[in-house]
Amino acid sequence: MPDRSFLTWPFFEDHHRALAADLEAWCAASLSDIDHSDTDKACISLVAMLGEAGWLTYSAIDPDAPGKLDVRSLCLIRETLARHDGLADFAFAMQGLGTGAVSLFGTETQRDWLHKTRAGTALSAFALSEPRSGSDVAHMDMTATRDGNGYRLNGEKTWISNGGIADIYTVFVRTGEAAGAKGLSAFLVPADTPGLRVAERLDVMAPHPLARLSFEDVRLDANAMIGLPGQGFKIAMSVLDVFRSTVAAAALGFARRALDASLIRVKQRELFGAPLSEMQMVQGHIAEMALDVDAAALLVYRAAWAKDMGAARVSREAAMAKLFSTDQAQSVIDRSVQLHGGEGVRVGSIPEKLYREIRALRIYEGASDVQKIVIARAVLAGND
Ligand code: COS
């Protein structure tokens, strides 16, 4: 049984503790034999399952009674799902990231989509990265130009999670009100809009739906814009301020799984006439893994708590959580592979799956290097 003592920390309220217990029970009952052989199919069915069980109501605001996203709940859900099944975590996360701009800045009509994404009957995606700009958002190439009372979108987006299976895309483009960051806007684009097509499906080491998208003269009404013209960069950053902490939470879930598997392993496996757990070198690994997990959890739930308490920006806290938690999870998982010996590199073993799963988290939603830039700028400025 994974360590649950962190739930007594003062970051949480009783409803968070109840959520963690209920979700744990649901995961144990529902996620043990998900068929991963067809990633798209598995993902669509996981979204439907998560919707049916009500977990997706946390991924976006209630369109009929707009309130706030609860970041601690988002983090607890991602941590728990990631510990059980990486693709289930991915399916949940994309429903949130893909609709984050609508939750935070959407009109009533745009919010209507949330009925479907929260029910698990429509999938969403967040389209920010481009072939020439992943980290440097302010210099994206894709454009939207005025066309009567609407806009025409032209360009490419890449590394788009849920690309190819999403029903709705939040797309960031250059509208040109000013140079750089002040000339971007966000649009809500249904997948069946003429001119939008999947140019390429991308295969990665831990399979999940991913694509490069092409936009050729995609015509949208002006009311497809989320927020105001020129606000796109701030909208993207505000969404990432919420969801970066949740990436850190997913990494924490992977790390906990690796630690749990290692604890079982070192108690069961004997070497030189004693269980591995009695060897001091092994105890050194276990101590460092437990320390990394607790330190990551403190940063994750500090960032989530700060946002929930009403901080306008938590860029520094969220960046620290993401940088530390994803880097440390990589190291915890690597140690778990080591403690499992040959079993740790056997295809399909828990450490092997986690080893492939964790790597992308140090890249997407802001690479570790970008998190360092965000942290340093905030620290140098003396505030956030
Ligand atoms: N919330 C609200 N506003 C924000 C903000 C935030 N979190 N972060 C920045 N802004 C504002 C700034 O205040 C600034 O506005 P003013 O000029 O009015 O003060 C404006 O946005 C531009 O900010 P900045 O000068 O920091 O822009 P940069 O181009 O230098 O941004 C980084 C650089 C690297 C921080 C940014 O491009 C980034 O986060 N990149 C990573 C993107 C990413 O995660 N990509 C992965 C794709 S998602 S899978």
Side-chain angles (χ1 to χ4, degrees):
M1 178 68 183
D3 178 20
R4 308 272 75 200
S5 60
F6 73 100
L7 290 168
T8 62
W9 292 351
F11 296 124
F12 300 107
E13 296 168 32
D14 282 344
H15 68 91
H16 294 118
R17 297 181 184 101
L19 166 66
D22 291 349
L23 180 59
E24 185 65 38
W26 182 83
C27 288
S30 313
L31 295 181
S32 48
D33 43 41
I34 299 292
D35 177 5
H36 284 189
S37 57
D38 180 332
T39 312
D40 285 4
K41 229 164 121 185
C43 210
I44 293 165
S45 107
L46 281 163
V47 168
M49 285 166 65
L50 290 163
E52 219 164 282
W55 304 118
L56 292 177
T57 57
Y58 291 92
S59 69
I61 61 160
D62 180 350
D64 299 323
K68 281 176 55 187
L69 290 164
D70 187 75
V71 187
R72 286 167 295 173
S73 297
L74 287 170
C75 288
L76 278 172
I77 292 173
R78 287 203 65 180
E79 178 188 335
T80 309
L81 290 173
R83 192 157 39 71
H84 285 269
D85 184 309
L87 202 60
D89 163 59
F90 169 86
F92 175 84
M94 289 310 129
Q95 294 301 92
L97 185 66
T99 57
V102 173
S103 278
L104 299 179
F105 299 94
T107 60
E108 199 179 332
T109 314
Q110 290 164 350
R111 287 203 303 267
D112 205 32
W113 272 100
L114 304 181
H115 288 113
K116 286 187 174 174
T117 61
R118 284 164 41 109
T121 54
L123 277 76
S124 69
F126 182 78
L128 183 67
S129 295
E130 296 186 0
R132 284 178 0 111
S133 76
S135 294
D136 188 5
V137 174
H139 290 95
M140 64 174 56
D141 292 320
M142 184 169 159
T143 58
T145 46
R146 284 307 302 221
D147 178 31
N149 63 349
Y151 288 88
R152 259 179 211 284
L153 275 56
N154 280 289
E156 277 198 343
K157 292 286 170 188
T158 194
W159 304 115
I160 306 309
S161 292
N162 271 355
I165 60 168
D167 299 283
I168 188 83
Y169 293 90
T170 297
V171 184
F172 296 87
V173 294
R174 177 164 303 290
T175 35
E177 290 72 18
K182 292 191 166 52
L184 310 183
S185 301
F187 288 91
L188 194 58
V189 188
D192 57 4
T193 311
L196 164 54
R197 72 180 174 85
V198 174
E200 184 185 10
R201 292 299 299 265
L202 306 166
D203 294 328
V204 285
M205 62 203 278
H208 67 270
L210 202 61
R212 177 165 61 88
L213 305 173
S214 159
F215 297 74
E216 277 176 62
D217 271 336
V218 172
R219 173 77 171 70
L220 297 173
D221 286 341
N223 61 14
M225 185 182 281
I226 305 170
L228 299 172
Q231 263 193 349
F233 186 89
K234 287 194 181 187
I235 292 175
M237 293 301 131
S238 305
V239 171
L240 292 172
D241 262 6
V242 171
F243 286 95
R244 272 184 184 152
S245 310
T246 78
V247 180
L252 176 59
F254 291 144
R256 282 199 205 279
R257 179 81 191 264
L259 176 56
D260 293 345
S262 303
L263 292 175
I264 294 171
R265 161 84 183 177
V266 300
K267 285 179 191 168
Q268 283 177 351
R269 175 87 155 99
E270 293 205 351
L271 204 63
F272 303 115
L276 280 180
S277 59
E278 288 181 18
M279 295 178 161
Q280 288 193 342
M281 249 192 268
V282 170
Q283 290 177 358
H285 280 302
I286 297 294
E288 283 170 10
M289 291 162 88
L291 175 62
D292 284 344
V293 164
D294 271 14
L298 282 162
L299 284 172
V300 168
Y301 290 108
R302 189 264 302 247
W305 172 85
K307 187 71 185 160
D308 289 344
M309 289 305 109
R313 275 179 62 174
V314 291
S315 311
R316 188 179 80 111
E317 291 83 350
M320 282 185 170
K322 183 176 187 286
L323 173 66
F324 188 85
S325 185
T326 56
D327 279 1
Q328 295 315 305
Q330 180 92 53
S331 146
V332 169
I333 291 165
D334 189 59
R335 286 203 200 94
S336 177
V337 170
Q338 197 69 16
L339 290 173
H340 279 78
E343 278 303 316
V345 288
R346 189 181 191 144
V347 173
S349 72
I350 291 171
E352 185 269 344
K353 278 199 276 188
L354 293 169
Y355 193 80
R356 286 184 293 104
E357 204 103 53
I358 188 59
R359 192 61 185 87
L361 278 66
R362 292 168 64 204
I363 297 171
Y364 71 63
E365 283 181 55
S368 292
D369 321 82
V370 168
Q371 307 310 330
K372 288 180 189 167
I373 295 173
V374 174
I375 295 165
R377 282 185 185 179
V379 173
L380 289 166
N383 59 37
D384 195 8

